[in-house]
Amino acid sequence: MATKELILTNVTKRFGGLVAVDDLSFNVQEGQIYGIIGPNGAGKTTVFNCITGIHPCEKGSIKWLGEEIRLLSPHQVAARGIVRTFQTIRLFGQMSVAENIMSGRHIKSSQGWWHGICPTPFSRADEHKNWDKVGELLDFFNLSEFAVNPVGSLSYGIQRRVEMARAMATEPSLMILDEPAAGLNDNETLGLIETIYKIREKGITILLIEHDMDLVMEVTEYLTVINFGKKIAEGTPGEIQAHPAVIEAYLGSDDDDDF
Ligand SMILES: Nc1ncnc2c1ncn2[C@@H]1O[C@H](COP(=O)(O)OP(=O)(O)O)[C@@H](O)[C@H]1O
Ligand SMILES: [Mg+2]
């Protein structure tokens, strides 16, 4: 069986005249916690959009489990075990925490919407199994006490956890997190670090973009740094912190700690 490795080779994505991702290559190994950092507008989110089929790239190759996924739709990518969260939280604000997590099960489920209207014994058993799974995830993400609360009424820190729980509900092999610490306070960020480790313990590979450098240096094992869509460095957190090109990009940016 092919290893659960993600391999990007010479990926290029343009928006009109702007080259948002420029000939970018990197590999994420199975079980790794891998980071992508770079100044605002460097092309980080666009890389994630290329991988997940939201904005297919026009050049290069994206391989997952040995298969070329560059031109697959978001749904097809998700069906192959790649799931993501967004820089700006995208949840159903009126729906409860449990229902939001359940929506992740429905993405995975083979059942059609009509089973909700005309349930069969098989679809009922499936639904039962799905709610069991939601219960496990509420527990895993310390969300049980908020299970019935509408998501829109909860703090950012909790909403971020719900988003990750919904992503986990799809039973992914690779979880892609776009700035998971955005909007979190220090305590919530510490909780997030623990959660990331717990997710990896489940055998899930993690690829993350993050501005919080303390978090990046703490949790990631390997990093790629991009600027203007191009890779300027890669290495372990220790190597990256001492890398001249990174220091230059860091000091050269308008906002000193804005990676
Ligand atoms: N959908 C889009 N249409 C046009 N330009 C875009 C789009 N998405 C991103 N860009 C541009 O691509 C560049 C990289 O953006 P992005 O990937 O969001 O950067 P980052 O996540 O590193 O802050 C920016 O110049 C941005 O304006
Ligand atoms: Mg971004």
Side-chain angles (χ1 to χ4, degrees), residues 101-130:
I101 300 173
M102 187 62 160
S103 71
R105 294 303 295 169
H106 287 150
I107 291 168
K108 185 185 161 56
S109 173
S110 53
Q111 304 230 0
W113 55 268
W114 54 89
H115 286 116
I117 302 165
C118 304
T120 61
F122 175 73
S123 69
R124 274 200 206 98
D126 208 36
E127 199 67 358
H128 205 76
K129 208 176 91 199
N130 282 339

PDB file of all heavy atoms in Angstrom, residues 101-130:
ATOM      1  N   ILE A 101     -20.906  18.999  14.374  1.00  0.00           N
ATOM      2  CA  ILE A 101     -19.976  17.864  14.273  1.00  0.00           C
ATOM      3  C   ILE A 101     -20.617  16.773  13.406  1.00  0.00           C
ATOM      4  O   ILE A 101     -19.961  16.153  12.569  1.00  0.00           O
ATOM      5  CB  ILE A 101     -19.596  17.332  15.670  1.00  0.00           C
ATOM      6  CG1 ILE A 101     -18.922  18.442  16.490  1.00  0.00           C
ATOM      7  CG2 ILE A 101     -18.674  16.120  15.558  1.00  0.00           C
ATOM      8  CD1 ILE A 101     -18.655  18.095  17.933  1.00  0.00           C
ATOM      9  N   MET A 102     -21.925  16.586  13.596  1.00  0.00           N
ATOM     10  CA  MET A 102     -22.652  15.585  12.808  1.00  0.00           C
ATOM     11  C   MET A 102     -22.545  15.881  11.312  1.00  0.00           C
ATOM     12  O   MET A 102     -22.500  14.958  10.494  1.00  0.00           O
ATOM     13  CB  MET A 102     -24.118  15.570  13.245  1.00  0.00           C
ATOM     14  CG  MET A 102     -24.926  14.457  12.628  1.00  0.00           C
ATOM     15  SD  MET A 102     -24.279  12.835  13.121  1.00  0.00           S
ATOM     16  CE  MET A 102     -25.695  11.813  12.777  1.00  0.00           C
ATOM     17  N   SER A 103     -22.499  17.172  10.961  1.00  0.00           N
ATOM     18  CA  SER A 103     -22.423  17.509   9.533  1.00  0.00           C
ATOM     19  C   SER A 103     -21.143  16.938   8.922  1.00  0.00           C
ATOM     20  O   SER A 103     -21.104  16.614   7.735  1.00  0.00           O
ATOM     21  CB  SER A 103     -22.532  19.027   9.318  1.00  0.00           C
ATOM     22  OG  SER A 103     -21.370  19.679   9.769  1.00  0.00           O
ATOM     23  N   GLY A 104     -20.099  16.794   9.732  1.00  0.00           N
ATOM     24  CA  GLY A 104     -18.868  16.141   9.253  1.00  0.00           C
ATOM     25  C   GLY A 104     -19.100  14.669   8.966  1.00  0.00           C
ATOM     26  O   GLY A 104     -18.554  14.113   8.008  1.00  0.00           O
ATOM     27  N   ARG A 105     -19.951  14.020   9.779  1.00  0.00           N
ATOM     28  CA  ARG A 105     -20.287  12.602   9.530  1.00  0.00           C
ATOM     29  C   ARG A 105     -21.045  12.488   8.212  1.00  0.00           C
ATOM     30  O   ARG A 105     -20.865  11.553   7.456  1.00  0.00           O
ATOM     31  CB  ARG A 105     -21.171  12.027  10.643  1.00  0.00           C
ATOM     32  CG  ARG A 105     -20.542  11.919  11.988  1.00  0.00           C
ATOM     33  CD  ARG A 105     -19.299  11.107  11.993  1.00  0.00           C
ATOM     34  NE  ARG A 105     -19.491   9.690  11.670  1.00  0.00           N
ATOM     35  CZ  ARG A 105     -18.492   8.846  11.422  1.00  0.00           C
ATOM     36  NH1 ARG A 105     -17.248   9.262  11.448  1.00  0.00           N
ATOM     37  NH2 ARG A 105     -18.729   7.594  11.143  1.00  0.00           N
ATOM     38  N   HIS A 106     -21.919  13.444   7.951  1.00  0.00           N
ATOM     39  CA  HIS A 106     -22.733  13.354   6.741  1.00  0.00           C
ATOM     40  C   HIS A 106     -21.908  13.531   5.479  1.00  0.00           C
ATOM     41  O   HIS A 106     -22.213  12.957   4.447  1.00  0.00           O
ATOM     42  CB  HIS A 106     -23.891  14.359   6.793  1.00  0.00           C
ATOM     43  CG  HIS A 106     -24.955  13.932   7.770  1.00  0.00           C
ATOM     44  ND1 HIS A 106     -25.737  14.810   8.443  1.00  0.00           N
ATOM     45  CD2 HIS A 106     -25.320  12.702   8.183  1.00  0.00           C
ATOM     46  CE1 HIS A 106     -26.576  14.142   9.248  1.00  0.00           C
ATOM     47  NE2 HIS A 106     -26.329  12.865   9.097  1.00  0.00           N
ATOM     48  N   ILE A 107     -20.822  14.306   5.589  1.00  0.00           N
ATOM     49  CA  ILE A 107     -19.928  14.439   4.426  1.00  0.00           C
ATOM     50  C   ILE A 107     -19.354  13.062   4.113  1.00  0.00           C
ATOM     51  O   ILE A 107     -19.225  12.646   2.973  1.00  0.00           O
ATOM     52  CB  ILE A 107     -18.779  15.438   4.740  1.00  0.00           C
ATOM     53  CG1 ILE A 107     -19.334  16.852   4.851  1.00  0.00           C
ATOM     54  CG2 ILE A 107     -17.681  15.362   3.676  1.00  0.00           C
ATOM     55  CD1 ILE A 107     -18.353  17.857   5.432  1.00  0.00           C
ATOM     56  N   LYS A 108     -19.051  12.316   5.184  1.00  0.00           N
ATOM     57  CA  LYS A 108     -18.427  11.013   5.003  1.00  0.00           C
ATOM     58  C   LYS A 108     -19.433   9.932   4.594  1.00  0.00           C
ATOM     59  O   LYS A 108     -19.131   9.021   3.837  1.00  0.00           O
ATOM     60  CB  LYS A 108     -17.775  10.617   6.340  1.00  0.00           C
ATOM     61  CG  LYS A 108     -16.986   9.341   6.260  1.00  0.00           C
ATOM     62  CD  LYS A 108     -16.474   8.935   7.622  1.00  0.00           C
ATOM     63  CE  LYS A 108     -16.088   7.474   7.636  1.00  0.00           C
ATOM     64  NZ  LYS A 108     -15.109   7.134   6.610  1.00  0.00           N
ATOM     65  N   SER A 109     -20.651  10.080   5.115  1.00  0.00           N
ATOM     66  CA  SER A 109     -21.649   9.021   4.938  1.00  0.00           C
ATOM     67  C   SER A 109     -22.004   8.782   3.475  1.00  0.00           C
ATOM     68  O   SER A 109     -22.069   9.707   2.677  1.00  0.00           O
ATOM     69  CB  SER A 109     -22.914   9.418   5.707  1.00  0.00           C
ATOM     70  OG  SER A 109     -23.926   8.510   5.428  1.00  0.00           O
ATOM     71  N   SER A 110     -22.285   7.529   3.154  1.00  0.00           N
ATOM     72  CA  SER A 110     -22.678   7.187   1.786  1.00  0.00           C
ATOM     73  C   SER A 110     -24.181   7.412   1.597  1.00  0.00           C
ATOM     74  O   SER A 110     -24.716   7.272   0.504  1.00  0.00           O
ATOM     75  CB  SER A 110     -22.353   5.717   1.536  1.00  0.00           C
ATOM     76  OG  SER A 110     -22.952   4.950   2.558  1.00  0.00           O
ATOM     77  N   GLN A 111     -24.865   7.768   2.666  1.00  0.00           N
ATOM     78  CA  GLN A 111     -26.325   7.861   2.593  1.00  0.00           C
ATOM     79  C   GLN A 111     -26.815   9.149   1.971  1.00  0.00           C
ATOM     80  O   GLN A 111     -26.238  10.206   2.180  1.00  0.00           O
ATOM     81  CB  GLN A 111     -26.861   7.812   4.023  1.00  0.00           C
ATOM     82  CG  GLN A 111     -26.390   6.582   4.700  1.00  0.00           C
ATOM     83  CD  GLN A 111     -27.521   5.854   5.351  1.00  0.00           C
ATOM     84  OE1 GLN A 111     -28.661   6.283   5.288  1.00  0.00           O
ATOM     85  NE2 GLN A 111     -27.211   4.753   5.951  1.00  0.00           N
ATOM     86  N   GLY A 112     -27.916   9.044   1.257  1.00  0.00           N
ATOM     87  CA  GLY A 112     -28.511  10.223   0.629  1.00  0.00           C
ATOM     88  C   GLY A 112     -29.401  10.967   1.613  1.00  0.00           C
ATOM     89  O   GLY A 112     -29.801  10.414   2.637  1.00  0.00           O
ATOM     90  N   TRP A 113     -29.737  12.228   1.287  1.00  0.00           N
ATOM     91  CA  TRP A 113     -30.577  13.045   2.157  1.00  0.00           C
ATOM     92  C   TRP A 113     -31.953  12.415   2.339  1.00  0.00           C
ATOM     93  O   TRP A 113     -32.615  12.613   3.347  1.00  0.00           O
ATOM     94  CB  TRP A 113     -30.717  14.452   1.570  1.00  0.00           C
ATOM     95  CG  TRP A 113     -31.229  14.469   0.166  1.00  0.00           C
ATOM     96  CD1 TRP A 113     -30.491  14.464  -0.974  1.00  0.00           C
ATOM     97  CD2 TRP A 113     -32.603  14.424  -0.256  1.00  0.00           C
ATOM     98  NE1 TRP A 113     -31.299  14.431  -2.065  1.00  0.00           N
ATOM     99  CE2 TRP A 113     -32.610  14.420  -1.667  1.00  0.00           C
ATOM    100  CE3 TRP A 113     -33.834  14.404   0.410  1.00  0.00           C
ATOM    101  CZ2 TRP A 113     -33.771  14.378  -2.413  1.00  0.00           C
ATOM    102  CZ3 TRP A 113     -35.002  14.375  -0.338  1.00  0.00           C
ATOM    103  CH2 TRP A 113     -34.967  14.363  -1.728  1.00  0.00           C
ATOM    104  N   TRP A 114     -32.397  11.624   1.329  1.00  0.00           N
ATOM    105  CA  TRP A 114     -33.746  11.057   1.379  1.00  0.00           C
ATOM    106  C   TRP A 114     -33.905  10.062   2.534  1.00  0.00           C
ATOM    107  O   TRP A 114     -35.003   9.813   2.984  1.00  0.00           O
ATOM    108  CB  TRP A 114     -34.090  10.378   0.041  1.00  0.00           C
ATOM    109  CG  TRP A 114     -33.078   9.362  -0.374  1.00  0.00           C
ATOM    110  CD1 TRP A 114     -33.061   8.035  -0.063  1.00  0.00           C
ATOM    111  CD2 TRP A 114     -31.922   9.599  -1.171  1.00  0.00           C
ATOM    112  NE1 TRP A 114     -31.960   7.427  -0.611  1.00  0.00           N
ATOM    113  CE2 TRP A 114     -31.246   8.363  -1.298  1.00  0.00           C
ATOM    114  CE3 TRP A 114     -31.372  10.733  -1.791  1.00  0.00           C
ATOM    115  CZ2 TRP A 114     -30.053   8.232  -2.010  1.00  0.00           C
ATOM    116  CZ3 TRP A 114     -30.195  10.599  -2.499  1.00  0.00           C
ATOM    117  CH2 TRP A 114     -29.556   9.370  -2.609  1.00  0.00           C
ATOM    118  N   HIS A 115     -32.785   9.557   3.053  1.00  0.00           N
ATOM    119  CA  HIS A 115     -32.893   8.652   4.197  1.00  0.00           C
ATOM    120  C   HIS A 115     -33.404   9.379   5.440  1.00  0.00           C
ATOM    121  O   HIS A 115     -33.938   8.751   6.350  1.00  0.00           O
ATOM    122  CB  HIS A 115     -31.554   7.975   4.493  1.00  0.00           C
ATOM    123  CG  HIS A 115     -31.225   6.917   3.486  1.00  0.00           C
ATOM    124  ND1 HIS A 115     -30.138   7.003   2.654  1.00  0.00           N
ATOM    125  CD2 HIS A 115     -31.863   5.777   3.170  1.00  0.00           C
ATOM    126  CE1 HIS A 115     -30.115   5.948   1.858  1.00  0.00           C
ATOM    127  NE2 HIS A 115     -31.148   5.189   2.154  1.00  0.00           N
ATOM    128  N   GLY A 116     -33.233  10.715   5.443  1.00  0.00           N
ATOM    129  CA  GLY A 116     -33.764  11.494   6.564  1.00  0.00           C
ATOM    130  C   GLY A 116     -35.290  11.504   6.539  1.00  0.00           C
ATOM    131  O   GLY A 116     -35.954  11.595   7.563  1.00  0.00           O
ATOM    132  N   ILE A 117     -35.861  11.409   5.328  1.00  0.00           N
ATOM    133  CA  ILE A 117     -37.319  11.442   5.180  1.00  0.00           C
ATOM    134  C   ILE A 117     -37.893  10.030   5.262  1.00  0.00           C
ATOM    135  O   ILE A 117     -38.905   9.782   5.913  1.00  0.00           O
ATOM    136  CB  ILE A 117     -37.698  12.090   3.817  1.00  0.00           C
ATOM    137  CG1 ILE A 117     -37.096  13.497   3.754  1.00  0.00           C
ATOM    138  CG2 ILE A 117     -39.199  12.130   3.622  1.00  0.00           C
ATOM    139  CD1 ILE A 117     -37.079  14.091   2.364  1.00  0.00           C
ATOM    140  N   CYS A 118     -37.250   9.094   4.589  1.00  0.00           N
ATOM    141  CA  CYS A 118     -37.702   7.699   4.583  1.00  0.00           C
ATOM    142  C   CYS A 118     -36.606   6.791   5.146  1.00  0.00           C
ATOM    143  O   CYS A 118     -35.889   6.146   4.374  1.00  0.00           O
ATOM    144  CB  CYS A 118     -38.014   7.234   3.160  1.00  0.00           C
ATOM    145  SG  CYS A 118     -39.220   8.260   2.345  1.00  0.00           S
ATOM    146  N   PRO A 119     -36.420   6.787   6.456  1.00  0.00           N
ATOM    147  CA  PRO A 119     -35.337   5.974   7.001  1.00  0.00           C
ATOM    148  C   PRO A 119     -35.559   4.476   6.788  1.00  0.00           C
ATOM    149  O   PRO A 119     -36.697   3.998   6.864  1.00  0.00           O
ATOM    150  CB  PRO A 119     -35.337   6.322   8.495  1.00  0.00           C
ATOM    151  CG  PRO A 119     -36.643   6.967   8.766  1.00  0.00           C
ATOM    152  CD  PRO A 119     -37.186   7.484   7.477  1.00  0.00           C
ATOM    153  N   THR A 120     -34.507   3.768   6.500  1.00  0.00           N
ATOM    154  CA  THR A 120     -34.547   2.316   6.390  1.00  0.00           C
ATOM    155  C   THR A 120     -33.848   1.773   7.646  1.00  0.00           C
ATOM    156  O   THR A 120     -33.152   2.530   8.331  1.00  0.00           O
ATOM    157  CB  THR A 120     -33.747   1.856   5.156  1.00  0.00           C
ATOM    158  OG1 THR A 120     -32.385   2.276   5.354  1.00  0.00           O
ATOM    159  CG2 THR A 120     -34.287   2.462   3.871  1.00  0.00           C
ATOM    160  N   PRO A 121     -34.015   0.469   7.963  1.00  0.00           N
ATOM    161  CA  PRO A 121     -33.294  -0.060   9.126  1.00  0.00           C
ATOM    162  C   PRO A 121     -31.799   0.188   9.006  1.00  0.00           C
ATOM    163  O   PRO A 121     -31.123   0.539   9.967  1.00  0.00           O
ATOM    164  CB  PRO A 121     -33.615  -1.562   9.073  1.00  0.00           C
ATOM    165  CG  PRO A 121     -34.904  -1.638   8.344  1.00  0.00           C
ATOM    166  CD  PRO A 121     -34.894  -0.517   7.349  1.00  0.00           C
ATOM    167  N   PHE A 122     -31.286   0.072   7.787  1.00  0.00           N
ATOM    168  CA  PHE A 122     -29.852   0.277   7.579  1.00  0.00           C
ATOM    169  C   PHE A 122     -29.461   1.723   7.874  1.00  0.00           C
ATOM    170  O   PHE A 122     -28.504   1.998   8.582  1.00  0.00           O
ATOM    171  CB  PHE A 122     -29.476  -0.100   6.137  1.00  0.00           C
ATOM    172  CG  PHE A 122     -28.048   0.193   5.816  1.00  0.00           C
ATOM    173  CD1 PHE A 122     -27.029  -0.604   6.352  1.00  0.00           C
ATOM    174  CD2 PHE A 122     -27.704   1.262   5.005  1.00  0.00           C
ATOM    175  CE1 PHE A 122     -25.691  -0.324   6.076  1.00  0.00           C
ATOM    176  CE2 PHE A 122     -26.374   1.550   4.730  1.00  0.00           C
ATOM    177  CZ  PHE A 122     -25.373   0.750   5.264  1.00  0.00           C
ATOM    178  N   SER A 123     -30.266   2.688   7.366  1.00  0.00           N
ATOM    179  CA  SER A 123     -29.908   4.094   7.573  1.00  0.00           C
ATOM    180  C   SER A 123     -30.054   4.474   9.043  1.00  0.00           C
ATOM    181  O   SER A 123     -29.300   5.290   9.560  1.00  0.00           O
ATOM    182  CB  SER A 123     -30.737   5.013   6.674  1.00  0.00           C
ATOM    183  OG  SER A 123     -32.086   5.036   7.074  1.00  0.00           O
ATOM    184  N   ARG A 124     -31.044   3.836   9.738  1.00  0.00           N
ATOM    185  CA  ARG A 124     -31.204   4.122  11.177  1.00  0.00           C
ATOM    186  C   ARG A 124     -29.976   3.654  11.960  1.00  0.00           C
ATOM    187  O   ARG A 124     -29.479   4.357  12.825  1.00  0.00           O
ATOM    188  CB  ARG A 124     -32.451   3.440  11.724  1.00  0.00           C
ATOM    189  CG  ARG A 124     -33.689   4.272  11.544  1.00  0.00           C
ATOM    190  CD  ARG A 124     -34.802   3.846  12.486  1.00  0.00           C
ATOM    191  NE  ARG A 124     -36.070   4.202  11.890  1.00  0.00           N
ATOM    192  CZ  ARG A 124     -36.845   3.362  11.203  1.00  0.00           C
ATOM    193  NH1 ARG A 124     -36.499   2.099  11.046  1.00  0.00           N
ATOM    194  NH2 ARG A 124     -37.964   3.785  10.674  1.00  0.00           N
ATOM    195  N   ALA A 125     -29.489   2.468  11.617  1.00  0.00           N
ATOM    196  CA  ALA A 125     -28.306   1.927  12.306  1.00  0.00           C
ATOM    197  C   ALA A 125     -27.103   2.819  12.045  1.00  0.00           C
ATOM    198  O   ALA A 125     -26.302   3.105  12.940  1.00  0.00           O
ATOM    199  CB  ALA A 125     -28.028   0.502  11.823  1.00  0.00           C
ATOM    200  N   ASP A 126     -27.026   3.309  10.823  1.00  0.00           N
ATOM    201  CA  ASP A 126     -25.915   4.178  10.432  1.00  0.00           C
ATOM    202  C   ASP A 126     -25.970   5.487  11.224  1.00  0.00           C
ATOM    203  O   ASP A 126     -24.961   5.983  11.720  1.00  0.00           O
ATOM    204  CB  ASP A 126     -26.055   4.472   8.923  1.00  0.00           C
ATOM    205  CG  ASP A 126     -24.703   4.742   8.298  1.00  0.00           C
ATOM    206  OD1 ASP A 126     -23.733   4.091   8.714  1.00  0.00           O
ATOM    207  OD2 ASP A 126     -24.641   5.610   7.411  1.00  0.00           O
ATOM    208  N   GLU A 127     -27.175   6.036  11.354  1.00  0.00           N
ATOM    209  CA  GLU A 127     -27.375   7.293  12.071  1.00  0.00           C
ATOM    210  C   GLU A 127     -26.997   7.114  13.549  1.00  0.00           C
ATOM    211  O   GLU A 127     -26.364   7.975  14.146  1.00  0.00           O
ATOM    212  CB  GLU A 127     -28.847   7.710  11.919  1.00  0.00           C
ATOM    213  CG  GLU A 127     -29.133   9.161  12.186  1.00  0.00           C
ATOM    214  CD  GLU A 127     -28.515  10.121  11.160  1.00  0.00           C
ATOM    215  OE1 GLU A 127     -27.803   9.673  10.231  1.00  0.00           O
ATOM    216  OE2 GLU A 127     -28.709  11.326  11.321  1.00  0.00           O
ATOM    217  N   HIS A 128     -27.360   5.966  14.076  1.00  0.00           N
ATOM    218  CA  HIS A 128     -27.038   5.647  15.465  1.00  0.00           C
ATOM    219  C   HIS A 128     -25.516   5.639  15.660  1.00  0.00           C
ATOM    220  O   HIS A 128     -24.986   6.222  16.602  1.00  0.00           O
ATOM    221  CB  HIS A 128     -27.617   4.266  15.782  1.00  0.00           C
ATOM    222  CG  HIS A 128     -27.878   4.081  17.229  1.00  0.00           C
ATOM    223  ND1 HIS A 128     -28.944   4.657  17.863  1.00  0.00           N
ATOM    224  CD2 HIS A 128     -27.180   3.397  18.166  1.00  0.00           C
ATOM    225  CE1 HIS A 128     -28.894   4.332  19.144  1.00  0.00           C
ATOM    226  NE2 HIS A 128     -27.831   3.566  19.349  1.00  0.00           N
ATOM    227  N   LYS A 129     -24.847   4.985  14.747  1.00  0.00           N
ATOM    228  CA  LYS A 129     -23.380   4.899  14.790  1.00  0.00           C
ATOM    229  C   LYS A 129     -22.774   6.303  14.696  1.00  0.00           C
ATOM    230  O   LYS A 129     -21.824   6.645  15.400  1.00  0.00           O
ATOM    231  CB  LYS A 129     -22.899   4.041  13.606  1.00  0.00           C
ATOM    232  CG  LYS A 129     -21.599   3.328  13.890  1.00  0.00           C
ATOM    233  CD  LYS A 129     -21.195   2.424  12.742  1.00  0.00           C
ATOM    234  CE  LYS A 129     -20.324   3.178  11.763  1.00  0.00           C
ATOM    235  NZ  LYS A 129     -20.225   2.603  10.445  1.00  0.00           N
ATOM    236  N   ASN A 130     -23.372   7.131  13.826  1.00  0.00           N
ATOM    237  CA  ASN A 130     -22.863   8.500  13.665  1.00  0.00           C
ATOM    238  C   ASN A 130     -22.992   9.308  14.961  1.00  0.00           C
ATOM    239  O   ASN A 130     -22.077  10.028  15.338  1.00  0.00           O
ATOM    240  CB  ASN A 130     -23.632   9.224  12.545  1.00  0.00           C
ATOM    241  CG  ASN A 130     -23.149   8.794  11.178  1.00  0.00           C
ATOM    242  OD1 ASN A 130     -22.032   8.280  11.041  1.00  0.00           O
ATOM    243  ND2 ASN A 130     -23.971   8.983  10.167  1.00  0.00           N
TER     244      ASN A 130
END
